[in-house]
């Protein structure tokens, strides 16, 4: 891995502001969480804002811990523009996925879906930045966690902490959104490594 700092200064500044923003938004949770019946009635912003509020402060702190762990592991290979755009795109992907593909989910709040997208995107960026071993391990761990959760009963400890069921579908949609965010990077990497044709005689 690269040398210090563990988190580049622009990303660190954003992360501090973003963390404080989540605490502020929590005070407006009823107006921002995903409520399925409210979206067709005009509250379309809930598709995006649901990922930035939580069921309670334990839920918020749990997700912030995951976010800062992600930054410690992956931020050296990311830039601020990609981080912000990935957060927004993954949040919208979670909300849109729930609305279009999971009609049984009537409400949702939490950053965990976005986090799955960020961790997968970070793993791919690590791999394409030369940190292949670490990136592959992280990619495998996150993928295994998603698969394991899909075939096991809900984590009772997590449910107790967040005072709500764990919505696995949000994790899936966030994960897919995070991978989509890396497509331009993957294309550039593939083009760079592709053998160049010999010049014409």
């Amino acid at each position: 891995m690269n040398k210090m700092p563990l988190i580049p200064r622009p990303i660190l500044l954003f992360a501090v502001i973003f963390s404080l923003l989540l605490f502020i938004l929590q005070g407006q949770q009823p107006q921002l969480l995903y409520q399925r019946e409210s979206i067709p009635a005009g509250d379309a912003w809930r598709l995006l804002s649901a990922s930035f509020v939580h069921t309670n402060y334990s839920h918020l702190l749990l997700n912030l811990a995951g976010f800062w762990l992600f930054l410690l592991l992956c931020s050296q290979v990311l830039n601020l523009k990609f981080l912000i755009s990935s957060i927004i795109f993954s949040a919208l992907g979670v909300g849109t996925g729930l609305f279009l593909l999971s009609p049984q989910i009537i409400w949702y709040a939490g950053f965990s879906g976005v986090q799955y997208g960020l961790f997968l995107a970070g793993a791919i960026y690590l791999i394409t930045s030369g940190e292949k071993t670490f990136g592959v391990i992280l990619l495998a761990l996150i993928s295994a966690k998603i698969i394991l959760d899909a075939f096991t009963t809900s984590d009772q400890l997590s449910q107790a902490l967040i005072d709500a069921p764990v919505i696995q579908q949000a994790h899936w949609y966030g994960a897919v959104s995070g991978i989509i965010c890396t497509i331009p990077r993957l294309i550039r990497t593939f083009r760079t490594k592709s053998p160049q044709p010999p010049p014409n005689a």
Side-chain angles (χ1 to χ4, degrees):
M1 295 292 292
N2 297 331
K3 300 300 182 181
M4 295 290 290
L6 290 176
I7 303 176
R9 185 171 298 176
I11 291 180
L12 178 60
L13 178 60
F14 165 76
V16 171
I17 295 173
F18 181 70
S19 299
L20 293 174
L21 177 63
L22 292 188
F23 277 97
I24 294 171
L25 291 177
Q26 188 64 19
Q28 303 300 318
Q29 188 248 40
Q31 291 76 39
L32 299 177
L33 61 78
Y34 175 91
Q35 288 183 320
R36 184 172 185 85
E37 72 278 5
S38 299
I39 294 170
D43 292 1
W45 66 81
R46 294 178 185 268
L47 294 172
L48 177 66
S49 63
S51 291
F52 304 117
V53 292
H54 296 78
T55 56
N56 54 37
Y57 283 100
S58 295
H59 189 196
L60 170 57
L61 291 172
L62 187 65
N63 278 338
L64 277 179
F67 176 62
W68 282 90
L69 175 62
F70 157 76
L71 294 176
L72 289 172
L73 295 176
C74 302
S75 64
Q76 290 191 23
V77 297
L78 303 176
N79 60 65
L80 182 57
K81 180 180 178 181
F82 176 79
L83 176 60
I84 295 174
S85 62
S86 295
I87 289 173
I88 295 173
F89 184 81
S90 296
L92 189 57
V94 169
T96 303
L98 290 174
F99 187 74
L100 296 179
L101 303 176
S102 299
Q104 76 280 12
I105 306 298
I106 59 175
W107 74 273
Y108 170 79
F111 192 67
S112 58
V114 175
Q115 282 191 134
Y116 275 87
L118 291 178
F119 270 105
L120 289 177
I124 292 171
Y125 261 66
L126 285 167
I127 294 170
T128 58
S129 297
E131 301 286 351
K132 292 184 179 180
T133 300
F134 183 48
V136 168
I137 291 173
L138 183 60
L139 185 65
L141 287 174
I142 300 302
S143 300
K145 178 66 165 57
I146 293 172
I147 294 171
L148 182 64
D149 288 345
F151 290 98
T152 57
T153 56
S154 298
D155 185 342
Q156 297 299 319
L157 176 59
S158 295
Q159 289 194 28
L161 285 173
I162 70 175
D163 195 27
V166 177
I167 307 299
Q168 301 295 345
Q169 293 90 331
H171 300 170
W172 306 341
Y173 305 142
V176 171
S177 299
I179 293 173
I180 291 174
C181 288
T182 67
I183 290 177
R185 171 81 170 201
L186 292 171
I187 292 174
R188 288 195 300 269
T189 301
F190 177 78
R191 286 177 176 174
T192 300
K193 294 184 177 181
S194 295
Q196 299 297 319
N200 294 330

